[in-house]
Amino acid sequence: MNTADEVGVVFLILHLVIGLTAAIVISSRRKPTTAIAWIMTIIFIPYLGAIAFFLIGFGRLPRHRREKQRQVNELMHAASGLSGYRAHFDSPDWLAPTVAMNEKLGALGMVSGTSATLIGGYEQSIASMVRAVEKAQSFIHVEFYILVSDQTTGELIAALGRAAARGVAVRVLFDHVATLTLPRRKETMDELDRLGIQWHHMLPLKPLKGQWQRPDLRNHRKLLIVDGEVGFTGSQNLIDSTYLKPGNLRRGLHWKELMVRLEGPIVSELDAVFITDWFSETDELLEGETYQVREASIHHETPSAHQSRTVHGLDAQVIPSGPSFENDNNLKLFVSLIHNARRRVSITSPYFVPDEATLQAIITAASRGLAVELFVSEVADPAMVYHAQRSYYADLLAAGVKIYQYHSPTVLHSKHFSIDDEVAVIGSSNMDMRSFSLNMEVSLLVRGAEFVAEIRKVEDGYRELSLPINLQRWKRRPWREKILDSLARLTSALQ
């Protein structure tokens, strides 16, 4: 045997060892589809595939960060401040077990006495946050996936600075990686420093400082809390609706969002999520001034064209999720709600790349004769996700799901869905594998027919501005698009 043959045998043995090791390591505690996708990648692209797996193949945060999550969960379970506000309800009859599951996984129960106002206007939601910040007396907690000071968000940043100047504790968190490629990144950090605002990156990638985890594990949450009295959450980042990207400006793209303004005990639950993330990034556990329960004020903002009326007396529950938890909290919530629906399921998700359980739950709901509808965008970013989600449309349409594409050049970025006439979810989570497993998300589960009626008005508005997809026409789309959709779908399993 010559030297070349010996080298070939060595590489063959190494290939087999890598494949066998991958099969053992990857199959442990992973969904079969995900495990198979990774194993096939490593077998067919052995060395690059193995490197890719060690870079992005581990879907949980480092042990010390998960330990911090567990520690705060125990504190929240032990907290008695919300016990007097625990919700008691008897309809719908299937909801109580789901609420109990959420509390077991995410440490927060369902509380009564929530007031909620939907805000669908991009600038209007920021203006509402500014008004709340201007009234702050004790603390302001801000946590957004993306935070950039620009012509749209500048007044909010200035309001935070004015609050800090009058002695209010202003704490800000934003994702490290999400802002790396955006304009005005350095200017924003400099401005926060100049205004005396405490700020930190979330999930920073700074290997030389020992801060490292899988690069695409990100904190995707959006929330703002003022004095524990007023809270905001939903889909919107703190940046101009064009995201300031030259390509978006050329195409005329702008983002459509939905936020919810909250008052009542639920704001303390929202703040508990911030407390967890602040502790994770700073080792400072905020207590005393923050986790206090305040009842909803009888005052509320006057409705506008982009704002719903305020609904009072709601039951609500905050569900945090992400790679700091051992379970896919939001995935279990979504699947449970869809399976328990009796009449109608309306889903709005800009990035719809479901796992098998979610897909089958939706198809089963439609097959049971329920009215099931999905709102997506005619255009989207990024391209890979856009094509991956299109690969699911044919199966959904065949099952009877109605799919509406929101008109271009608006990117429908809202994230919410409603079940029957009494239950709805709104938050930062898309209905895709990234939001289920890789992103830190926050979802708000709401029980209340009046609130769902307001969500329905939003959905009706989407429908009027959307084009329904016809199954036969969809099947006749160009082969090039079909191929791109199918290839993109394959990559979505590599989680």
Side-chain angles (χ1 to χ4, degrees):
M1 182 179 294
N2 57 37
T3 302
D5 291 336
E6 291 175 350
V7 171
V9 170
V10 169
F11 274 100
L12 177 60
I13 294 173
L14 184 60
H15 190 175
L16 293 173
V17 169
I18 290 174
L20 180 60
T21 303
I24 296 171
V25 173
I26 293 173
S27 60
S28 175
R29 302 186 67 182
R30 278 185 175 80
K31 299 181 184 72
T33 52
T34 300
I36 291 171
W38 272 117
I39 291 169
M40 294 301 290
T41 299
I42 290 173
I43 287 175
F44 286 104
I45 319 174
Y47 308 110
L48 291 178
I51 292 171
F53 174 76
F54 283 108
L55 282 175
I56 64 170
F58 297 94
R60 288 290 176 261
L61 289 173
R63 185 181 299 275
H64 72 278
R65 292 190 67 109
R66 286 182 281 132
E67 177 60 26
K68 285 183 174 181
Q69 180 71 64
R70 186 195 62 77
Q71 182 178 342
V72 176
N73 281 1
E74 290 179 354
L75 290 174
M76 288 190 287
H77 276 303
S80 59
L82 288 170
S83 59
Y85 296 92
R86 185 170 291 273
H88 301 283
F89 54 90
D90 54 14
S91 71
D93 57 5
W94 50 263
L95 184 59
T98 298
V99 168
M101 175 191 70
N102 295 337
E103 183 171 2
K104 180 180 179 181
L105 299 179
L108 298 167
M110 177 168 274
V111 294
S112 60
T114 296
S115 295
T117 310
L118 294 172
I119 309 174
Y122 204 100
E123 288 77 14
Q124 286 76 11
S125 69
I126 293 176
S128 184
M129 293 181 207
V130 170
R131 289 192 291 271
V133 165
E134 296 286 19
K135 297 176 182 178
Q137 298 179 357
S138 178
F139 68 89
I140 302 168
H141 291 161
V142 182
E143 178 177 339
F144 282 80
Y145 177 58
I146 292 173
L147 185 148
V148 173
S149 179
D150 57 33
Q151 68 271 19
T152 300
T153 63
E155 181 53 33
L156 178 57
I157 304 298
L160 293 174
R162 291 191 292 270
R166 64 177 184 267
V168 176
V170 182
R171 303 179 179 97
V172 173
L173 294 171
F174 55 96
D175 191 81
H176 182 213
V177 173
T179 55
L180 284 176
T181 60
L182 291 172
R184 295 192 52 79
R185 172 176 170 270
K186 186 177 185 304
E187 291 86 343
T188 298
M189 294 186 290
D190 289 344
E191 185 173 359
L192 294 175
D193 288 335
R194 179 179 58 80
L195 294 172
I197 294 172
Q198 301 179 65
W199 66 271
H200 292 273
H201 284 129
M202 297 187 291
L203 298 174
L205 290 182
K206 300 175 182 177
L208 297 180
K209 296 183 179 181
Q211 296 174 322
W212 179 261
Q213 64 278 320
R214 175 173 168 170
D216 60 343
L217 298 182
R218 308 312 323 151
N219 194 318
H220 194 242
R221 293 167 179 159
K222 292 99 175 170
L223 53 90
L224 184 147
I225 301 101
V226 177
D227 291 343
E229 296 181 353
V230 179
F232 295 82
T233 192
S235 65
Q236 185 171 340
N237 289 299
L238 290 186
I239 189 171
D240 183 75
S241 65
T242 64
Y243 278 60
L244 305 175
K245 294 182 178 180
N248 295 346
L249 295 170
R250 285 195 301 271
R251 298 164 65 189
L253 298 183
H254 59 94
W255 269 238
K256 172 72 174 175
E257 311 286 356
L258 187 66
M259 297 289 283
V260 60
R261 181 185 185 274
L262 301 163
E263 292 186 53
I266 196 64
V267 178
S268 292
E269 290 201 350
L270 206 61
D271 198 30
V273 177
F274 179 91
I275 291 170
T276 303
D277 290 338
W278 186 264
F279 178 46
S280 294
E281 304 302 349
T282 68
D283 290 324
E284 178 188 7
L285 185 56
L286 302 172
E287 295 182 278
E289 70 171 26
T290 52
Y291 200 70
Q292 300 175 14
V293 180
R294 295 170 172 85
E295 295 187 10
S297 168
I298 60 173
H299 305 291
H300 56 81
E301 298 190 330
T302 303
S304 67
H306 298 282
Q307 184 170 315
S308 75
R309 66 186 181 89
T310 300
V311 180
H312 301 284
L314 300 168
D315 298 327
Q317 182 180 33
V318 169
I319 301 96
S321 59
S324 62
F325 293 88
E326 299 301 326
N327 295 278
D328 296 333
N329 300 2
N330 52 350
L331 169 61
K332 289 180 171 63
L333 166 65
F334 294 173
V335 171
S336 176
L337 293 180
I338 295 168
H339 275 308
N340 281 290
R342 298 292 185 267
R343 293 177 297 280
R344 178 175 174 180
V345 178
S346 295
I347 299 169
T348 302
S349 180
Y351 310 123
F352 181 82
V353 187
D355 77 328
E356 191 65 23
T358 311
L359 181 64
Q360 289 307 313
I362 295 170
I363 289 176
T364 300
S367 300
R368 287 191 283 131
L370 277 63
V372 182
E373 58 185 356
L374 171 65
F375 294 97
V376 294
S377 287
E378 185 180 6
V379 292
D381 179 64
M384 188 69 74
V385 177
Y386 172 67
H387 282 287
Q389 73 179 32
R390 287 160 49 98
S391 71
Y392 294 92
Y393 292 173
D395 290 340
L396 293 168
L397 291 166
V401 177
K402 294 182 179 179
I403 303 177
Y404 297 93
Q405 289 185 314
Y406 199 85
H407 68 88
S408 173
T410 301
V411 177
L412 182 61
H413 194 247
S414 305
K415 309 163 198 299
H416 53 88
F417 75 109
S418 54
I419 301 294
D420 297 338
D421 302 315
E422 202 171 355
V423 177
V425 175
I426 181 172
S428 67
S429 179
N430 298 300
M431 201 165 282
D432 69 352
M433 292 187 229
R434 172 162 295 281
S435 282
F436 292 152
S437 300
L438 303 182
N439 285 342
M440 309 277 281
E441 305 283 6
V442 61
S443 301
L444 179 73
L445 173 64
V446 181
R447 189 195 77 90
E450 289 183 277
F451 182 79
V452 174
E454 297 301 322
I455 287 278
R456 292 278 187 247
K457 293 177 184 178
V458 173
E459 294 164 349
D460 291 344
Y462 294 164
R463 200 178 300 104
E464 291 178 2
L465 296 172
S466 300
L467 179 68
I469 299 178
N470 176 273
L471 176 59
Q472 298 308 315
R473 286 201 298 270
W474 184 254
K475 287 181 176 179
R476 294 196 296 269
R477 70 190 191 281
W479 275 104
R480 176 181 174 276
E481 294 183 11
K482 293 180 181 179
I483 292 171
L484 288 174
D485 296 347
S486 298
L487 291 175
R489 180 169 179 168
L490 287 175
T491 64
S492 67
L494 295 179
Q495 308 294 347

